[in-house]
């Protein structure tokens, strides 16, 4: 990232933000973002870059390296009643993955300032591979061509630096961000929202710190870190479980059996067997992997509902449904917006997941292939976990543990989540409830990322939580 990016003059700040219909902003060293007019999602945003230590460990030296954290603020149009910090998922996702959810967040946190940081290693914050992941590099935020080898080489040659991009250091970063927000308006309430990996990061923070947070919203809660059944190398089994539920529901409603003349899973078996004999049938399937493609569709409810129709078409040798679904995927990703920093950081994913979120580090490619042969829906994550030669950091004192004290928590979970399984979340909630107040919102038929796919449910119940009117578990329907 160019060091001059996101630095602007006070005159531009005044011109952009002190216009009719927008309240004067206490920017607290934030300045107008240079890209604020590049997308409707970014209008009225202000930005800041903080300097923090590469390592937050107690034994780190005074002359240690520093890194930059990028934070984007969306100030309230009216006098702010509070602040909310949005902690994105991944690991590897930048704050830009939540920009498209701003309307939902405004409804959920009315008259709140919204802060969206980029985790260390993502977005416009300091990257692990600074040259290869720079916005002006050959692939921008994506690694392309020779950048892969160059990046991985420097990760290994500078392993001491690479291994500082840990969950615990990222949680310390979050503590600094919260402290900075509190210095602006000390008495206003602050809430934390974390999604997916962001839930893991938020809970890590409360293991070593007790920031003055009013409440926590956890969207798509990750399982317990030591739960072998739900860890990342098991992801294909989790995806297959949800995929089979989709087919079973369709059969029970007699939609599939009437459409296909047989149970949908049986028809899918025949399709997969035919592909083994005629691999040319995969020509139009992304990555030529039908099982992974079907697993990918489970992330999007409107496309998930088309899976039985796709199976029927493929069984009949047609691709009309496939063409429609491919258009639907493009539309779904386009809705996230086009931001240069949107691509996830693979180096950060590899560092964190290899160090902390892989409970089967010795899993072989042959063993994984045997497991996936028995499945009809799979995921790419387990294969990416194999045979990593990149640096890993040692598990610290917080690994596998839970905070003993934290504010009231509201958890949103979809019962059709193919990434953080509902049952895994229940097990985690049962442990958290031994210490503090935790309420669960079960969203029927919802996948991963409730604020995105069930925005009305999310907004209504989050608003009630903030007002202190939500004091028990509840069930919400996505549709």
């Amino acid at each position: 990232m160019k060091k001059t990016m996101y630095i602007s003059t006070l005159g531009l700040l005044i011109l952009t933000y002190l216009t009719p219909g927008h309240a004067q902003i206490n920017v607290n060293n934030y300045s107008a973002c240079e890209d604020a007019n590049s997308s409707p999602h970014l209008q009225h945003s202000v930005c800041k870059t903080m300097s923090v230590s590469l390592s937050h460990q107690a034994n780190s030296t005074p002359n240690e390296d520093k890194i930059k954290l990028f934070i984007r603020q969306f100030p309230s149009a009216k006098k702010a009643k509070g602040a909310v910090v949005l902690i994105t998922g991944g690991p590897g996702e930048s704050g830009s993955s939540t920009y498209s959810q701003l309307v939902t967040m405004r409804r959920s946190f009315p008259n709140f300032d919204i802060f969206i940081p980029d985790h260390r290693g993502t977005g416009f914050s300091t990257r692990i591979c600074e040259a290869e992941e720079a916005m002006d590099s050959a692939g921008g935020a994506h690694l392309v061509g020779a950048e892969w080898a160059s990046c991985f080489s420097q990760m290994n040659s500078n392993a001491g630096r690479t291994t500082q991009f840990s969950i615990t250091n990222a949680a310390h970063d979050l503590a600094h961000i919260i402290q900075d927000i509190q210095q602006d308006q000390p008495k206003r309430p602050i809430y934390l929202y974390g999604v997916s990996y962001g839930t893991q990061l938020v809970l890590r923070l409360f293991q070593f710190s007790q920031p003055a947070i009013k409440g926590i919203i956890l969207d798509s809660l990750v399982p317990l870190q030591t739960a072998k059944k739900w860890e990342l190398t098991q992801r294909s089994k989790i995806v297959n479980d949800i995929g089979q539920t989709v087919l079973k529901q369709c059969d029970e409603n007699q939609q599939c059996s009437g459409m296909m003349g047989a149970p949908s899973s049986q028809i899918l078996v025949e399709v997969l067997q035919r592909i083994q004999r005629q691999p040319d049938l995969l020509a139009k399937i992304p990555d030529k992997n039908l099982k992974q493609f079907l697993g990918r569709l489970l992330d999007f409810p409107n496309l998930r509902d088309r899976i039985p129709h796709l199976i029927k078409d493929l069984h009949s040798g047609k691709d009309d449904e496939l063409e429609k679904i491919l258009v639907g995927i493009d539309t779904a990703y386009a809705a996230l917006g086009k931001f240069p920093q949107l691509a996830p950081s693979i180096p950060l994913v590899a560092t964190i997941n290899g160090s902390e979120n892989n409970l089967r580090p010795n899993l072989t490619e042959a063993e994984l292939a045997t497991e996936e042969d028995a499945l009809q829906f799979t995921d790419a994550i387990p294969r990416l976990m194999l045979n990593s030669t990149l640096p890993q950091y040692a598990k610290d004192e917080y690994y596998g543990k839970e905070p003993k004290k934290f504010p009231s928590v509201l958890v949103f979970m979809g019962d059709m989540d193919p990434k953080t399984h509902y049952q895994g979340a229940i097990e985690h909630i049962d442990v958290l409830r031994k210490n503090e107040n935790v309420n669960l919102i079960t969203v029927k038929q919802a996948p991963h990322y409730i604020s995105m796919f069930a925005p009305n449910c999310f907004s209504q119940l989050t608003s009630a939580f903030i007002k202190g009117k939500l004091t028990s578990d509840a069930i919400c329907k996505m549709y």
Side-chain angles (χ1 to χ4, degrees):
M1 182 180 69
K2 295 180 180 179
K3 291 184 179 179
T4 56
M5 190 172 292
Y6 295 100
I7 298 177
S8 57
T9 65
L10 180 60
L12 178 60
L13 176 65
I14 295 172
L15 177 65
T16 306
Y17 292 100
L18 300 188
T19 53
H22 199 89
Q24 184 171 349
I25 298 162
N26 184 343
V27 295
N28 190 28
N29 296 319
Y30 283 77
S31 59
C33 310
E34 288 187 358
D35 62 353
N37 293 321
S38 66
S39 166
H41 296 304
L42 304 182
Q43 290 180 0
H44 306 304
S45 63
V46 290
C47 297
K48 178 177 183 175
T49 301
M50 290 178 59
S51 177
V52 296
S53 297
L54 172 64
S55 172
H56 293 287
Q57 303 304 313
N59 60 354
S60 56
T61 62
N63 296 321
E64 65 186 340
D65 292 337
K66 300 289 185 179
I67 64 169
K68 300 294 185 181
L69 297 179
F70 175 81
I71 308 156
R72 190 184 298 269
Q73 178 187 359
F74 293 90
S76 172
K78 299 180 180 180
K79 183 177 180 180
K81 295 181 179 178
V84 57
V85 186
L86 308 187
I87 312 301
T88 52
E93 292 182 11
S94 69
S96 61
S97 64
T98 63
Y99 293 166
S100 62
Q101 304 308 305
L102 191 61
V103 172
T104 298
M105 294 302 170
R106 287 287 192 213
R107 290 201 308 263
S108 307
F109 302 93
N111 299 321
F112 272 53
D113 288 339
I114 298 174
F115 294 83
I116 307 179
D118 288 347
H119 305 305
R120 61 168 57 202
T122 74
F124 293 132
S125 293
T126 298
R127 297 284 193 135
I128 292 180
C129 297
E130 294 187 87
E132 293 85 355
E133 295 183 280
M135 296 303 128
D136 58 359
S137 66
H142 292 274
L143 293 177
V144 296
E147 290 179 340
W148 287 98
S150 173
C151 173
F152 289 175
S153 175
Q154 74 94 0
M155 288 176 71
N156 280 302
S157 63
N158 199 359
R161 177 181 180 276
T162 299
T163 53
Q164 297 305 323
F165 287 79
S166 66
I167 298 177
T168 296
N169 274 331
H172 278 284
D173 293 343
L174 179 55
H176 283 279
I177 292 169
I178 294 169
Q179 183 180 30
D180 186 71
I181 295 170
Q182 289 171 331
Q183 288 176 350
D184 180 21
Q185 296 186 29
K187 295 183 179 181
R188 67 177 175 175
I190 299 177
Y191 289 81
L192 295 181
Y193 163 86
V195 58
S196 194
Y197 161 73
T199 68
Q200 186 178 46
L201 183 55
V202 168
L203 292 174
R204 179 66 59 90
L205 166 66
F206 282 91
Q207 285 195 56
F208 61 79
S209 178
Q210 290 297 319
I213 297 299
K214 181 72 171 178
I216 300 172
I217 297 92
L218 302 179
D219 183 340
S220 306
L221 177 64
V222 297
L224 292 164
Q225 198 168 27
T226 55
K228 293 183 178 180
K229 184 176 181 179
W230 311 115
E231 57 92 30
L232 290 179
T233 67
Q234 306 279 5
R235 175 66 65 79
S236 287
K237 296 177 183 178
I238 294 168
V239 165
N240 189 68
D241 179 68
I242 301 301
Q244 295 302 321
T245 300
V246 170
L247 300 183
K248 181 180 178 181
Q249 289 179 351
C250 190
D251 287 341
E252 288 176 347
N253 292 334
Q254 297 185 335
Q255 296 175 13
C256 294
S257 57
M259 179 172 59
M260 300 184 190
S264 53
S265 60
Q266 178 181 325
I267 300 299
L268 180 53
V269 167
E270 295 175 9
V271 170
L272 293 170
Q273 290 174 343
R274 183 182 299 175
I275 286 173
Q276 292 291 326
R277 300 189 302 268
Q278 299 174 268
D280 58 299
L281 297 176
L282 290 171
K284 293 185 178 181
I285 300 292
D287 300 322
K288 294 182 172 54
N289 189 324
L290 179 57
K291 290 183 178 182
Q292 274 190 25
F293 182 63
L294 293 174
R296 185 180 172 192
L297 299 182
L298 298 173
D299 292 334
F300 308 97
N302 61 323
L303 301 179
R304 181 186 69 194
D305 294 343
R306 303 305 303 172
I307 288 175
H309 300 272
L310 174 62
I311 294 171
K312 177 180 180 294
D313 256 22
L314 294 175
H315 189 257
S316 302
K318 300 177 182 179
D319 58 16
D320 295 349
E321 191 66 34
L322 174 61
E323 296 289 350
K324 294 176 183 178
I325 287 175
L326 291 174
V327 172
I329 290 176
D330 289 340
T331 301
Y333 282 113
L336 294 175
K338 295 183 178 180
F339 308 106
Q341 73 275 35
L342 184 60
S345 172
I346 301 303
L348 185 65
V349 171
T351 299
I352 289 179
N353 285 343
S355 301
E356 294 200 53
N357 293 329
N358 182 357
L359 300 187
R360 295 196 294 173
N362 297 320
L363 180 69
T364 67
E365 189 169 348
E367 290 169 338
L368 179 61
T370 298
E371 290 179 2
E372 293 190 345
D373 280 346
L375 308 177
Q376 294 182 320
F377 298 76
T378 62
D379 191 85
I381 287 292
R383 197 161 298 277
L384 295 176
M385 306 284 286
L386 298 175
N387 305 317
S388 176
T389 59
L390 296 175
Q392 296 180 10
Y393 56 84
K395 296 177 177 63
D396 62 24
E397 60 190 298
Y398 307 113
Y399 172 78
K401 298 178 182 178
E402 300 297 322
K404 300 299 183 183
K405 184 176 178 58
F406 44 85
S408 294
V409 174
L410 179 63
V411 179
F412 286 92
M413 280 302 304
D415 65 357
M416 296 285 282
D417 190 331
K419 287 183 165 57
T420 55
H421 198 281
Y422 182 78
Q423 290 302 320
I426 293 298
E427 293 174 7
H428 198 166
I429 290 169
D430 287 343
V431 173
L432 292 173
R433 279 177 166 162
K434 295 178 181 178
N435 298 316
E436 294 290 347
N437 179 38
V438 180
N439 289 323
L440 168 65
I441 306 301
T442 300
V443 187
K444 305 298 292 184
Q445 297 296 304
H448 199 69
Y449 210 154
I450 300 303
S451 69
M452 178 179 292
F453 292 108
N456 291 335
C457 177
F458 179 85
S459 293
Q460 291 171 8
L461 292 170
T462 296
S463 179
F465 174 69
I466 291 172
K467 295 175 182 177
K469 296 181 179 180
L470 186 64
T471 57
S472 62
D473 292 353
I475 295 176
C476 189
K477 293 183 180 180
M478 185 180 66
Y479 298 118

